[in-house]
Amino acid sequence: MEEEIRPESLEDALSTLAEAASTPARDRKRKVSTTVDAIIVSAFNHGLDSTSLSAVVGIVTKKNELDQTINTNLVRNLYPLQKVSSDVVLVVVGSLGNGRGKPASSTQVALVRWLVLVQEELQDPTCLSALYGVFFSMLDMISLRLELSRFAVEDPALMRLLDVYREYYPDVVVGSASSGKTSKFTHSVALENVDSVNEFVGKLESVELPNQLVAILKDPLLQKYRVLKPSVTATKRIELWLSKALEEEIKFIRDGLGMTSRLSEILQGLFNYTRYKKILLPSAVHFLEMYLPLWDGVSNTAEIFGLLAYLPISPFLDVRRRFFSAAEAAIIMHAPEPYENLVTLYIDLTSRWAQHIGSTASDRSGADANMPIEAFIALTDHVSTLVLSILCSPTCSGSIVSATLGFYQTLTAVLFTPANESHSIPIVLPPAQVVYLLLFTSSLSELSRLLAILASYKQAFEASISATIRHPPATTNRFNGWLMDVCNLFWRSLALQKSDANAFGCFCPESVQPLLRDYLETIDPEYSLVSSFGLSQSHVLSSLSAAALRALEDKADEEGLELNTRHAGPVTRRSLTKLDKDGGLQISWKEYRVEVLKWLDARGVGGVKELMYATMKHLIQGKV
């Protein structure tokens, strides 16, 4: 068993590390991690002198018995205390390439990065210039190509040569050595003398694309240029550059080197380009499939979500397997607000898939004609299952409920877009459990939004039926049952009853209702179960309904009407009759409820009025 013995000094640690590097892990007597930590801490706090630096370099530049993480961490922490000698540089360069005794490719990449960082700390700055020929001969190694090309920054001749390769053979050279230490997206050839839109249009034919076409990912003017003057060659070049660059990033992550800062820049540019073109490039699709299983669920979330939302419509089971299973796992494990983020992502994807279905309705034919609709329904069913499980969990919060309502608002909103003129976008209802969980919410805004959504669904059904679209009877009966239950709760004083056609009684078991009635009687014998959820007695609406009545009484006072008494609340049909007899405000039960709906609507709680006016016949016909 390995003993955890702390080194007495840096020299002791280096000696122990050298021994461990040549000893298989099973034969070691001391824990190597303790030794490595000691070296890294000393290097970070004080730097490594020439002797110590040479010792560590001598270990990591050879194939050894240390695991890859240790080798990588050692290279990352090579902080020189003095100028780096040419001997060290030669040892590092000599370790590059293929060979039996060479270190792993990820270690070689880390070593080249280190050389780039210490260029200004070399004893002999011309040492690297003398080795450019060696570096160039290694450009055929994909793992080293990007890092090696960065050495060309200070050499004008090689910089121009790399420009030629980048222009005509981008598959050979990837990256942006000619841009020096600036952003990889900064293009070297600007659009000349273009100061306005008019000039841009006037010089459209004479404008030339920059050598580094990746600039298009970030430059809005170049994006407009690509739209006005499309080029198959330019698109292929962008695709090729992206493919190579993203493959490099995936390899770095898989080799344990972590995500580079360049990836964030690439993803931001790619997202901007995708949002402008409304199309996800094939290289981006491939990257997402490879990257999501490695993703930490936190890095570049906005860009990753933005790109996922542009995935082309295809069978959802396949889309989920390739992309969303890994994305959901990463987000739920690591993101600070995982469920809100997931639902927001699915809102964007749902909206785009719905628009696609509507805009391509006349073009679909053949065996796959129904695929988009089936994929859309499968997607919405998946999201509904997801939100139902979230709503039932102890961690459910107001922001999650808001995101859930936002999803169903999107599902109804797309039904009224110009793309759905042919009514080709399917009407997909939420699960009944979601409706009833939210129907008994304690939040006024949540209740109003839910009822507005149900009103939009009703309007969508009526519009599609008018266009001779037939819906399965089970679907319309289910939806009509929800409407009946809502009206029984808030308007008809028949809460939890099933006597009407299609009514579900809010799925409250009849065996429970006597217990609820007995409980209400213990509070006040006047309370009735069937009216306890109405406008004037609902725990969400009662105080607002009372305020609405007070406003009516105040208005009567202002108009000079003499009121001998005011209503004490809560309002019932019987109490309004008594109020009239006692010389108070004269108003019927129906009139009072209509005034409450108007009062709520005027204060931003319009969902209740929307649904009642869309459902109750006497309100639809204007008869109160």
Side-chain angles (χ1 to χ4, degrees), residues 162-235:
L162 285 172
D163 281 342
V164 172
Y165 270 94
R166 190 175 294 108
E167 176 71 15
Y168 297 102
Y169 301 99
D171 56 323
V172 174
V173 178
V174 181
S176 181
S178 61
S179 64
K181 296 180 181 178
T182 59
S183 167
K184 301 298 180 293
F185 290 118
T186 305
H187 54 88
S188 57
V189 179
L191 294 173
E192 295 179 359
N193 303 320
V194 176
D195 299 320
S196 65
V197 174
N198 290 335
E199 284 190 55
F200 176 68
V201 174
K203 297 182 179 182
L204 181 62
E205 295 302 323
S206 61
V207 169
E208 293 184 0
L209 286 171
N211 289 336
Q212 295 170 269
L213 276 179
V214 69
I216 291 177
L217 295 182
K218 196 172 185 181
D219 192 324
L221 192 58
L222 283 173
Q223 292 170 5
K224 292 181 176 66
Y225 174 79
R226 283 280 293 111
V227 171
L228 295 171
K229 194 175 180 181
S231 166
V232 175
T233 302
T235 301

Side-chain angles (χ1 to χ4, degrees), residues 207-377:
V207 169
E208 293 184 0
L209 286 171
N211 289 336
Q212 295 170 269
L213 276 179
V214 69
I216 291 177
L217 295 182
K218 196 172 185 181
D219 192 324
L221 192 58
L222 283 173
Q223 292 170 5
K224 292 181 176 66
Y225 174 79
R226 283 280 293 111
V227 171
L228 295 171
K229 194 175 180 181
S231 166
V232 175
T233 302
T235 301
K236 288 182 177 179
R237 285 173 58 194
I238 295 171
E239 268 285 285
L240 184 57
W241 187 93
L242 267 177
S243 178
K244 295 293 183 181
L246 293 173
E247 282 178 13
E248 291 280 356
E249 295 296 332
I250 292 291
K251 190 173 189 309
F252 290 154
I253 296 172
R254 285 178 173 168
D255 288 345
L257 298 175
M259 184 186 70
T260 70
S261 59
R262 188 182 71 147
L263 179 58
S264 297
E265 231 178 336
I266 293 175
L267 291 178
Q268 185 177 12
L270 180 57
F271 174 50
N272 290 335
Y273 180 81
T274 303
R275 185 167 49 183
Y276 189 82
K277 295 284 289 183
K278 311 300 183 197
I279 295 175
L280 192 61
L281 294 171
S283 57
V285 175
H286 178 71
F287 167 76
L288 288 171
E289 188 172 3
M290 298 298 103
Y291 176 68
L292 288 173
L294 309 172
W295 185 40
D296 61 8
V298 178
S299 304
N300 306 302
T301 302
E303 289 76 22
I304 295 296
F305 278 13
L307 294 173
L308 285 171
Y310 281 96
L311 284 171
I313 193 167
S314 56
F316 182 69
L317 287 179
D318 183 54
V319 173
R320 185 183 178 191
R321 175 184 58 81
R322 294 173 59 195
F323 304 100
F324 289 111
S325 291
E328 287 181 3
I331 294 166
I332 292 172
M333 286 293 292
H334 303 292
E337 294 182 337
Y339 300 111
E340 296 91 326
N341 291 339
L342 273 177
V343 176
T344 301
L345 164 61
Y346 283 127
I347 286 174
D348 292 340
L349 183 66
T350 299
S351 178
R352 290 196 174 88
W353 280 19
Q355 295 294 329
H356 173 84
I357 291 173
S359 60
T360 61
S362 59
D363 302 330
R364 294 195 299 271
S365 61
D368 295 331
N370 289 327
M371 185 279 291
I373 293 177
E374 292 170 355
F376 179 79
I377 293 174

Side-chain angles (χ1 to χ4, degrees), residues 28 176 280 303 380 478 483 551 562 620:
R28 292 178 195 147
S176 181
L280 192 61
E303 289 76 22
T380 54
R478 182 166 73 252
L483 297 182
E562 293 186 5
I620 296 173

